[in-house]
Amino acid sequence: EIVMTQTPLSLSVTPGQPASMSCKSSQSLLHSDGKTYFYWYLQKPGQSPQLLIYEVSRRFSGVPDRFSGSGSGTDFTLKISRVEAEDVGIYYCMQGINLPRTFGPGTKVDIK
Amino acid sequence: EVQLVESGGGLVQPGRSLRLSCTTYGFTFGDYAMSWVRQAPGKGLEWVGFIRSKAYGGTTEYAASVKGRFTISRDDSKSIAYLQMNSLKTEDTALYYCNREPAIWGQGTMVTVSS
């Protein structure tokens, strides 16, 4: 089973300021097809998870361009260029290369 | 509009069974694998299992924590995925989400296992 770890576990951000969080996987998520099966989700309070980023750096439809993903292999980063109040919630990373799918423990983001 | 609607949750005693349904709308259900993910109160996301489309054999995979107790099935004629949960334990208490990887999630249905 691939273990996903996230840092930090919590983050308090001033609106308009940038934020960054990290996710590491215990194995490479690079598939032989050339794709890296790594995802970022945001779960806002009281809501289902919503996909932000897929395949490391591709923004899902409707996701604001202040969100960006980067990384490769086993190390990945999500950056928010200017945090807005609506960005509060828990950010989860997930690997999609192997079964069982595994999620990181989440990074909880709140507003100062 | 693509939509997943879970149903069937509720309060159940330890050792009993429950079947959850995921009714889907807005896409060709038979073309897609479907997953179940759960979230215990105040906890993170835990993948439960997965059923492939018929084109890929319709086979299933499960998390170790539920293997042998839970069964995922699908009815492509009704566009519904099911999660049959047997021998329920208190630690199965969670909000259960249906998921079409990677982007489509339902709103979840709550399962509480308690005496």
Side-chain angles (χ1 to χ4, degrees):
Chain A
E1 173 175 316
I2 296 176
V3 177
M4 307 294 285
T5 56
Q6 290 184 244
T7 55
L9 295 182
S10 65
L11 199 51
S12 190
V13 188
T14 302
Q17 293 300 302
S20 178
M21 62 195 76
S22 172
C23 180
K24 295 182 189 296
S25 59
S26 61
Q27 299 175 35
S28 175
L29 304 185
L30 175 62
H31 194 275
S32 56
D33 65 6
K35 296 179 181 178
T36 301
Y37 289 91
F38 176 83
Y39 308 88
W40 287 104
Y41 293 91
L42 167 58
Q43 187 174 33
K44 296 182 179 182
Q47 296 186 18
S48 303
Q50 57 188 78
L51 179 65
L52 295 176
I53 302 287
Y54 65 100
E55 293 173 18
V56 180
S57 59
R58 297 177 182 268
R59 268 190 306 276
F60 185 60
S61 175
V63 174
D65 61 7
R66 63 179 181 274
F67 291 93
S68 63
S70 63
S72 63
T74 61
D75 290 352
F76 306 95
T77 300
L78 178 69
K79 293 183 179 178
I80 310 172
S81 58
R82 294 173 305 280
V83 171
E84 298 188 4
E86 66 182 24
D87 300 335
V88 299
I90 302 176
Y91 290 77
Y92 293 98
C93 57
M94 190 198 83
Q95 63 82 15
I97 196 171
N98 276 357
L99 296 173
R101 301 288 191 247
T102 45
F103 295 88
T107 294
K108 185 175 184 178
V109 172
D110 63 25
I111 298 296
K112 282 183 183 175
Chain B
E1 179 192 1
V2 175
Q3 196 176 2
L4 309 179
V5 179
E6 301 92 337
S7 59
L11 174 63
V12 62
Q13 292 179 327
R16 304 297 292 264
S17 299
L18 203 60
R19 188 179 80 160
L20 307 183
S21 299
C22 171
T23 304
T24 72
Y25 305 91
F27 64 98
T28 305
F29 177 77
D31 289 348
Y32 292 87
M34 297 297 297
S35 299
W36 288 91
V37 175
R38 68 184 180 182
Q39 186 169 37
K43 301 297 184 182
L45 300 169
E46 180 189 15
W47 183 83
V48 171
F50 170 93
I51 184 165
R52 296 176 177 85
S53 66
K54 291 287 197 307
Y56 289 88
T59 52
T60 53
E61 307 286 346
Y62 300 97
S65 58
V66 306
K67 195 169 186 178
R69 299 188 299 122
F70 289 13
T71 301
I72 299 173
S73 60
R74 61 189 301 150
D75 185 334
D76 290 356
S77 69
K78 295 182 179 179
S79 300
I80 299 177
Y82 299 100
L83 177 64
Q84 177 68 43
M85 304 184 294
N86 298 333
S87 304
L88 281 161
K89 305 176 181 180
T90 55
E91 53 263 42
D92 295 320
T93 293
L95 185 62
Y96 283 74
Y97 293 104
C98 178
N99 168 233
R100 194 195 88 181
E101 290 187 351
I104 311 301
W105 294 69
Q107 83 290 347
T109 187
M110 186 68 201
V111 173
T112 302
V113 184
S114 175
S115 54

